[in-house]
Amino acid sequence: MNINDLLISTNGKLIGEIDLKDSYNQIKTSSLDVQDGDVFVALIGANDGHKYVESAIENGAKILIVSKEVESSIPYILVKDTTLALGDIAHYMVKKYNPRVIALTGSVGKTTTRNLLYSLLKNKYNVLTNEKNFNNHLGVPLTVFNLKDDTEVLLTELGMNHLNEISYLSKMINPETAIITNIGSSHIGNLGSKKEILKAKLEILDGMDKKVLFVNGDDELLKSIDDTIKSGFNDYNDLVGYDLKSNLYSSSFKIKYNNKEYEISVDLPEHLLEDVLLSINVALHYGVDIDDIITSLKEYKSFDMRMNILKDKNGNTIINDCYNSSFESLTGVLKVLENETQKKLLILGSIMELGDYSKEIHQSLKPYLDKINNKRVILVGEAMEDLKIDALYFKNYEEVLDYLKGENINDTLILIKGSRAMKLENVTTYFMEK
């Protein structure tokens, strides 16, 4: 990519003089991250990036992309909207580098499925995937900007809070393959119903020329989508598992593929196995050998605060699952704990973005908690006050830490789970450092 590519992709106006054949280093949206030869894009959000133009220049920016005229000692490209310009550049780069694009979305399990699929594809392909939770209108372009000539597969999540957001992202990257993990209650406060959530997730098809779609075959709403979309399903979408054996730490099951039986083992509990099956299906579609898939799954380890199993110095086993929470993901973990006999401490934070459904959904957690024996429960956040059970209630993680400092907790199975806003990873850190 060179300066001329930036001009073409953004349809911008060049102010100042620069050789259009000049290349640049990287595209940055924070002036603090800018280094010699970078492009600085002045986004307008909570802060106006135009205020930091001088800082970006001091740090070595080669050229700016702005949406209003600025005083600058270096050339800049003037565009109508710098946020949209990010997407335009990303779209142009996908066309230029032409990787095979796999996009995935869903209410629960996006990141687990992406991590699993990355582990299955990476030994066969040079795969670029998004870091952290870079799955929105800013994160997806920032991922795409890392494309190189030798990138063979772009694998990225597409996230959303409202209608039309996934459509925009899908049209940006033009997937050849789409994955929908499930349709749950996440963001139901914004969208109003699961049918609207399904509608939003199906926007992943909007940027596709051919609809090669993999879905969770057990999800009732995904099974209800019309025949026009179903006609795009591939041959591997119906691969199913059987003879399941599972516990908190690992699972095994069998599949039949090409008239042969194979056993799959992975260090994940039962409620995440649909994500495993989806990943296997897609990997087979991309020509990954079944034996390589089996080996990769045996070696797979979860991370990023998603069902991480940790051991602290006091003999506690900690389920660090506090990256996010939803009704479906929380009840999935609680079902796993039903069969665990040791004493348990459940530290559960509020589920966010439920809107008018919040009280009903939080109260519906009670039957799942009632089935777990030998437990103490700590509930965190205002929404959890609707769950009327025998528990300790705290407003935030700071209050939880103050309480824990007076407790002697050992040889306990501790579940820590809540929405990102609850910041319960601080509780995990407390146990690991105590």
Side-chain angles (χ1 to χ4, degrees), residues 295-307:
T295 299
S296 295
L297 289 174
K298 283 181 180 178
E299 297 172 351
Y300 178 80
K301 299 296 179 186
S302 58
F303 55 96
D304 287 343
M305 299 184 290
R306 293 174 172 88
M307 287 302 294

Side-chain angles (χ1 to χ4, degrees), residues 58-225:
E58 289 175 355
N59 286 337
K62 184 169 192 171
I63 190 169
L64 313 171
I65 297 178
V66 297
S67 58
K68 50 190 173 185
E69 293 189 7
V70 294
E71 290 187 9
S72 173
S73 58
I74 64 172
Y76 61 88
I77 297 173
L78 184 62
V79 300
K80 291 183 178 179
D81 185 310
T82 48
T83 299
L84 293 179
L86 278 187
D88 292 337
I89 297 168
H91 180 72
Y92 183 91
M93 288 186 71
V94 169
K95 294 294 186 184
K96 182 180 178 72
Y97 289 99
N98 196 30
R100 303 181 71 178
V101 181
I102 305 172
L104 60 100
T105 191
S107 297
V108 181
K110 292 188 295 297
T111 302
T112 297
T113 304
R114 173 177 62 81
N115 290 339
L116 282 162
L117 186 53
Y118 175 76
S119 72
L120 301 186
L121 295 175
K122 66 180 182 179
N123 292 327
K124 183 177 178 67
Y125 299 99
N126 186 341
V127 183
L128 170 64
T129 191
N130 52 296
E131 298 177 2
K132 302 177 183 178
N133 199 27
F134 282 14
N135 62 14
N136 63 9
H137 64 293
L138 301 179
V140 173
L142 291 175
T143 298
V144 171
F145 295 159
N146 291 313
L147 282 171
K148 294 181 173 64
D149 289 330
D150 62 351
T151 304
E152 297 172 287
V153 174
L154 170 63
L155 168 63
T156 185
E157 300 174 35
L158 304 185
M160 65 90 197
N161 294 309
H162 300 86
L163 289 171
N164 300 318
E165 292 176 345
I166 289 180
S167 180
Y168 171 71
L169 296 173
S170 180
K171 291 174 182 176
M172 180 193 300
I173 61 173
N174 302 129
E176 69 171 31
T177 300
I179 305 166
I180 305 179
T181 59
N182 50 47
I183 305 299
S185 57
S186 298
H187 313 303
I188 198 168
N190 297 331
L191 291 159
S193 70
K194 284 191 175 182
K195 286 188 176 180
E196 285 297 291
I197 294 172
L198 172 64
K199 181 180 177 181
K201 300 302 184 185
L202 286 172
E203 291 174 6
I204 199 171
L205 305 176
D206 290 355
M208 302 177 69
D209 293 330
K210 295 180 181 179
K211 294 175 174 57
V212 181
L213 175 65
F214 292 84
V215 300
N216 177 347
D218 288 337
D219 187 282
E220 291 300 322
L221 280 173
L222 288 173
K223 286 194 290 188
S224 74
I225 58 181

Side-chain angles (χ1 to χ4, degrees), residues 216-341:
N216 177 347
D218 288 337
D219 187 282
E220 291 300 322
L221 280 173
L222 288 173
K223 286 194 290 188
S224 74
I225 58 181
D226 66 52
D227 291 336
T228 324
I229 295 172
K230 285 181 180 179
S231 66
F233 285 14
N234 57 78
D235 292 337
Y236 300 129
N237 208 57
D238 292 329
L239 190 67
V240 296
Y242 57 94
D243 287 354
L244 171 66
K245 297 175 183 176
S246 184
N247 57 39
L248 174 62
Y249 307 98
S250 63
S251 301
S252 66
F253 58 90
K254 294 177 181 177
I255 60 170
K256 277 189 178 177
Y257 173 64
N258 282 349
N259 297 317
K260 288 184 64 177
E261 186 176 75
Y262 298 89
E263 182 164 335
I264 307 295
S265 298
V266 62
D267 286 344
L268 290 172
E270 180 178 355
H271 71 286
L272 297 177
L273 295 187
E274 285 297 339
D275 301 334
V276 177
L277 275 172
L278 275 173
S279 303
I280 295 172
N281 278 316
V282 178
L284 289 172
H285 178 69
Y286 275 77
V288 181
D289 185 83
I290 184 63
D291 292 321
D292 292 337
I293 289 173
I294 292 170
T295 299
S296 295
L297 289 174
K298 283 181 180 178
E299 297 172 351
Y300 178 80
K301 299 296 179 186
S302 58
F303 55 96
D304 287 343
M305 299 184 290
R306 293 174 172 88
M307 287 302 294
N308 294 135
I309 307 296
L310 307 172
K311 298 281 188 178
D312 72 6
K313 298 173 184 176
N314 297 299
N316 297 308
T317 299
I318 300 170
I319 305 174
N320 183 32
D321 195 24
C322 51
Y323 189 85
N324 215 334
S325 188
S326 66
F327 174 78
E328 292 78 15
S329 65
L330 176 52
T331 54
V333 183
L334 294 178
K335 288 178 184 177
V336 172
L337 295 183
E338 289 178 21
N339 299 320
E340 297 297 323
T341 56

